[in-house]
Structures are given as structure tokens and as C-alpha cells.
Amino acid sequence: MNRATKSGASSDSAFYLMANGQVESAVFQGGVDNLYCRYALSFGNDWGVIHGVDSGLSQIARMDQGSQDQSVTWNFPIDITLKATNAFGWPRLALSIYGVDSMGRDVVRGYGSLLLPTTPGHHVKYVHTYTPMSSSILQRLMSWMSGTHPEFFDSKFVTQGEGREVTRVKNTGVVKVTLNIMTKGMEQFGYN
């Protein structure tokens, strides 16, 4: 019989992580407008979703034309509860920001990744975004003429370490994310 059972506490075979908050706003270089956000959670094999959704798509937002503020506001909600037996593969939030160009096409404006905080409480995080670059001047010219800019095949690619060391990118902006984190049962698995 383990200590948790002796003390009267329930002996659960997993720990829980609850995250709720929002992808609040973004500021992009050059005053880019008409932006929308797609998020997806990436996590290890031992993790499972108990409640909520692990991906979402926001509305298209515009900058306030009468203001000096260059930010785009989404206030896009995040609400998810996860269950795990191992901290390996701790959840990461993959952000993909898209915009509508002058021809009405959806183009990627930035990718970013955020490790969900490991400590309970209120957290305000700023995620720096980037876009992939063409590897040669000829490819840049071709993408400019055709309107098909480089982008990742899988938006969760930004949450992984493999294969990214040779990817050429350029900085595009910053996204503000606020999260409220709660945990349950982590002490039972040796995590403080």
C-alpha cells in the first residue's frame, strides 16, 4: 500500500495539467494587417486530452486604423486539460499566423512555439515569430512572382528540434499569450 492510499488521498495513476487563457494579440513588422491565428498543441505519447480541443482557428483581425497601436487583437481562447504519466513530451503550443495579401491569398506571416508553463499560476508570454526563407535568390524571385512563399508542411514542425538546424528564417513579429495553469498529482510522480 502506498503513502497516498494510507493518508486517505486518492491514488491516481496519472497527473493532470489544465491550461486556459488566450492568444491575445500580435505586433508584426511593417504594419501587417488582416491576420488570423491557428494554434495546435503538440505533446508526447504519454499525454492525452481529457477536456477541450488541441487546435483552433481564430477570426481575421485588423489593426485599429485611428490609433498609433500597431497590434492586432484576437483574444482567441485556449482551454484544455491533459493527463499524463510522464513529463517527457511536455505540451508545446504551436502558433501559425496567416494574413491575406493584396491578391486575397492566404500567406504565412509567422510561426512560433511556446512550452506550456510547468508551474501553476497566471503567466504572460511573448512568442517571437518567424517565417522560412527561400534558400537562393532565384527561389526568392520565383516565390515573389508566383505569390507562393515558403512555409512549413506541418505547422507543428516548430515544436520539434529535429531538422530545424538548417532552416533559414527571418523574424516577423511577436504574439502575446496569457495562460492560467493548474496541475494535480505531480508530486505523486516526483515533480515539484
Side-chain angles (χ1 to χ4, degrees):
M1 188 180 267
N2 64 26
R3 289 182 309 202
T5 307
K6 286 180 185 176
S7 67
S10 68
S11 62
D12 205 347
S13 62
F15 62 87
Y16 297 88
L17 171 71
M18 181 176 153
N20 64 32
Q22 59 188 350
V23 180
E24 262 186 43
S25 60
V27 176
F28 277 78
Q29 296 172 1
V32 178
D33 206 359
N34 291 329
L35 300 176
Y36 64 94
C37 174
R38 173 174 289 151
Y39 81 83
L41 275 170
S42 176
F43 43 83
N45 294 333
D46 287 340
W47 291 79
V49 176
I50 300 301
H51 171 76
V53 293
D54 63 352
S55 62
L57 181 66
S58 77
Q59 79 281 4
I60 294 178
R62 300 200 56 177
M63 290 186 293
D64 183 6
Q65 300 301 324
S67 172
Q68 294 291 350
D69 185 18
Q70 294 289 306
S71 67
V72 174
T73 303
W74 294 295
N75 292 328
F76 184 37
I78 298 170
D79 185 12
I80 191 162
T81 304
L82 299 149
K83 177 180 178 180
T85 58
N86 188 344
F88 180 76
W90 192 270
R92 294 185 76 84
L93 182 68
L95 297 172
S96 304
I97 312 301
Y98 295 90
V100 180
D101 68 4
S102 60
M103 303 293 281
R105 299 174 296 210
D106 291 337
V107 291
V108 66
R109 298 296 187 188
Y111 295 103
S113 173
L114 168 69
L115 185 69
L116 290 186
T118 58
T119 57
H122 180 75
H123 303 271
V124 177
K125 300 290 185 178
Y126 294 90
V127 180
H128 292 271
T129 60
Y130 53 89
T131 56
M133 293 176 55
S134 299
S135 58
S136 71
I137 294 174
L138 179 60
Q139 286 178 333
R140 282 185 221 157
L141 179 64
M142 296 283 289
S143 70
W144 179 78
M145 289 173 50
S146 66
T148 55
H149 302 283
E151 60 183 84
F152 296 131
F153 178 72
D154 180 10
S155 62
K156 291 184 182 180
F157 178 72
V158 298
T159 65
Q160 304 164 5
E162 304 89 36
R164 287 185 31 198
E165 62 276 356
V166 294
T167 306
R168 299 174 75 176
V169 296
K170 67 177 179 178
N171 184 23
T172 57
V174 178
V175 177
K176 181 181 179 183
V177 179
T178 57
L179 292 167
N180 298 305
I181 302 293
M182 289 185 283
T183 61
K184 177 185 173 192
M186 292 187 68
E187 301 82 19
Q188 184 178 334
F189 287 83
Y191 305 115
N192 294 340

